Structures are given as structure tokens and as C-alpha cells.
Amino acid sequence: MNYTFHQLQIFLKVVEHESITKAAEELYMTQPAVSIQLKNFQNQFDLALTEVIGRQLFITEFGKEVAVIAERVVQEMENINMKTQSFKGHLTGRIKISSASTGKYVIPYFIGGFFEQHRSLDLILDVTNKTRVVESLKQNEIDFALISVLPENIEVEEEILIENRLLMVGNKPHRDESRPLIYREEGSATRSAMEEYFNTKEKNQRKRLELTSNEAVKQAVLAGIGNSIMPVIGMHNELQNGDLHVLNYPRLPINTQWRLVWLNGKKLLPASQALLDYIRNEKENIIEEHFKWYQNYG
């Protein structure tokens, strides 16, 4: 057999999309060029990798088996390239991080300096809710996850970054019990914490609203629609300007930790290990420079 690394990459894109047209678009190639390379790759095998029924392309069972092996080969080749560059003193490749939504106020400060130093690295940062973050972690689709509550039934390693403090906030400096409580959507760690806090008869006495992001909740509180328990770390400017106020409630703040986690036993690639080393070395300096104000709310 005499297939090329490039042919493996093309075949995997065709398998991913089950479409030569979509594979060509993602690879920035013409459709005929992809078809030729796919045909050349197919010629290495006696069994069909794909089949066309009607006008729809399907991957055969044999093709799917080949794709699993091809994925491993491509990954190992990328590992070899990154390892070679690391021995030369250069980091290449990409790092994938999935962050719980409020983590967008945290993670840029902890990784910004690193990516400034290593501009050849690519970053994929997905900001979503905790449920989706944990699912990406469980499926080993990412290098790191940024969460405030450790996931259940998954063994992970962690690096704690900074405390996460949740407090009741409103757009007036005094409590108003007639205002609705604004909750995050199901699957949010902030939602879980707020439900646990109001797990009393009071929970049933006040009208509830539900919004799908911390930013949406913050805007609703700013507009006076209601009050909410929110992570203080995402409200620096609003608190400083007096647009939002921390309200005095018993048993608050709720304290957790923002932590970078990865699967237990995961073999970190050189770029990911370098990022982790950077965070460990610079963490205290980053907190002192960017989060000193945070100590006023506790």
C-alpha cells in the first residue's frame, strides 16, 4: 500500500461529513481534487470504503473501521510533529478548552500571557454551561475544562485557579422581597447553587424567571426585572460603577473554586503541559494583578 498522510486527512473529512462537497469546503480544496484523492486512497483497498446510493454518499462498515485506524495514525503524526517542535524549543498545535459560562471572566487572564508567548499555538475555547462542559470532558474531546464544581463519576486531576463567590445582587442597594428571583437554565452550576440555597418554603413564595446565560441574567437584574444569586467575578464594572449592588442575605456568599480539570491519566501533549506549567508558575501573579478587587466581596 502506498497512501499518503494527506489522503488519510481527506478520507477522515469525507467520513466526518459523509459528503465530498463539505469535506472540500472545510479543507479549502476543490471538489474534483478531493474526489481524485479519495479515489487514489480507495485504490489501495480491495474492499469499498464508501458507496453512493441515490445521490447520497455512505461510509461502508469497512470504511468506518479504516477511519478509526486512520484517526489514530493522524493523531500520532501530529504528536510527532509537536514533539519535534518542542525539542527545537517551539510549541505548535492547538489546545482545546471548554469553560462554564462565567469562566469567560476568569480563563482569559490565566492563559493570555501564555498564548502571547507562543503565537504559533491555536486556541479553541468553547464557553457553554456546565452540563455540556462535563460531557466534552467525559468524551475526551478537550484538553482542559474550566468548572467551579467537580463532576460526579469522572476521575479528574485539577489545578485550582481562584475562588468563585456567589452573592445576591440587585440594581438597588436594599432588599426588595417582592422582586422575582432570576435563575439560570437547567444544567448550570449557578442554577444548582441557587436552587439549593432557596430549598425552603421561601422558594415557593417568590415568582421565578429563567434565563439562559449569566450575561442575560445580569442584564435583567440591571433593568430591575428581578434579583439573582450570581458569581461576583463577572460583575466587576457594574459593582464598581454602582449599577449593581450586593444585597445582604444570610448564608451568603456561596463559595466554590474555579478549577482547571483534565481526565485522570490523560497524557498531556507538550503544548497542554506547557500551559499547565505556566498557570502553576504565574497563578499568584495573575490573581494579584487582575483580581485584587475581588477580595472586597466575601
Side-chain angles (χ1 to χ4, degrees):
M1 290 189 178
N2 191 29
Y3 46 79
T4 66
F5 180 65
H6 186 49
Q7 287 171 351
L8 289 178
Q9 292 175 309
I10 290 173
F11 175 62
L12 287 174
K13 283 298 176 186
V14 172
V15 171
E16 178 183 348
H17 296 291
E18 292 191 334
S19 166
I20 291 175
T21 301
K22 291 181 180 178
E25 290 174 356
E26 188 161 336
L27 292 166
Y28 299 101
M29 296 173 64
T30 65
Q31 185 173 336
V34 170
S35 296
I36 290 171
Q37 291 300 322
L38 182 62
K39 181 180 178 181
N40 291 338
F41 185 60
Q42 171 65 78
N43 288 340
Q44 307 296 315
F45 303 93
D46 295 329
L47 300 174
L49 299 170
T50 63
E51 58 184 355
V52 178
I53 301 175
R55 301 186 65 180
Q56 176 66 46
L57 183 142
F58 295 92
I59 313 302
T60 65
E61 286 302 315
F62 177 67
K64 292 176 183 177
E65 292 292 332
V66 171
V68 171
I69 299 171
E71 182 71 42
R72 292 202 297 265
V73 172
V74 169
Q75 183 63 56
E76 288 304 319
M77 287 295 293
E78 291 176 352
N79 292 347
I80 289 172
N81 292 336
M82 286 187 281
K83 182 65 72 175
T84 302
Q85 292 300 318
S86 71
F87 269 86
K88 292 180 179 179
H90 303 292
L91 291 175
T92 60
R94 63 185 179 184
I95 298 175
K96 297 181 181 179
I97 302 173
S98 186
S99 170
S101 58
T102 310
K104 67 185 177 184
Y105 301 109
V106 177
I107 194 63
Y109 295 102
F110 284 90
I111 66 175
F114 176 81
F115 282 96
E116 180 66 22
Q117 293 175 12
H118 304 283
R119 297 190 178 186
S120 59
L121 284 174
D122 294 327
L123 169 67
I124 299 176
L125 177 59
D126 178 35
V127 179
T128 182
N129 69 28
K130 180 195 171 187
T131 299
R132 293 175 184 171
V133 172
V134 171
E135 186 60 27
S136 295
L137 182 66
K138 185 186 300 183
Q139 298 300 322
N140 197 27
E141 297 171 347
I142 55 178
D143 298 297
F144 300 108
L146 181 69
I147 52 180
S148 59
V149 179
L150 285 173
E152 298 178 357
N153 304 321
I154 308 178
E155 292 188 8
V156 298
E157 299 180 60
E158 65 174 341
E159 180 67 26
I160 293 176
L161 303 184
I162 191 171
E163 193 170 56
N164 183 40
R165 298 172 190 154
L166 284 74
L167 287 159
M168 180 71 77
V169 295
N171 71 340
K172 301 294 182 183
H174 52 80
R175 291 175 58 164
D176 184 348
E177 303 298 338
S178 67
R179 284 193 171 183
L181 294 172
I182 305 176
Y183 283 75
R184 282 286 308 278
E185 80 284 6
E186 291 284 354
S188 161
T190 303
R191 164 70 170 258
S192 299
M194 192 167 173
E195 285 186 330
E196 184 175 347
Y197 179 81
F198 284 111
N199 191 22
T200 65
K201 63 180 181 180
E202 181 180 0
K203 172 180 171 182
N204 300 318
Q205 292 173 348
R206 297 179 66 176
K207 184 178 178 181
R208 295 162 51 126
L209 301 176
E210 180 178 311
L211 298 175
T212 57
S213 73
N214 272 319
E215 194 60 34
V217 173
K218 182 166 68 175
Q219 293 302 320
V221 175
L222 283 166
I225 294 174
N227 298 333
S228 184
I229 292 178
M230 297 180 64
V232 178
I233 208 160
M235 299 181 286
H236 182 200
N237 292 334
E238 292 81 6
L239 292 169
Q240 191 175 48
N241 296 336
D243 296 324
L244 289 178
H245 301 270
V246 172
L247 305 178
N248 184 24
Y249 273 72
R251 299 182 289 114
L252 292 179
I254 300 169
N255 293 321
T256 57
Q257 302 281 352
W258 281 112
R259 59 194 83 214
L260 200 66
V261 305
W262 59 100
L263 288 177
N264 185 35
K266 182 178 177 65
K267 185 179 180 181
L268 296 178
L269 294 175
S272 299
Q273 185 62 56
L275 173 60
L276 185 58
D277 293 340
Y278 171 86
I279 290 174
R280 285 169 170 166
N281 291 332
E282 297 295 327
K283 179 168 57 175
E284 297 305 322
N285 294 332
I286 292 168
I287 292 173
E288 177 65 22
E289 180 179 356
H290 297 289
F291 298 101
K292 194 172 183 179
W293 66 272
Y294 197 45
Q295 307 305 318
N296 297 325
Y297 302 93

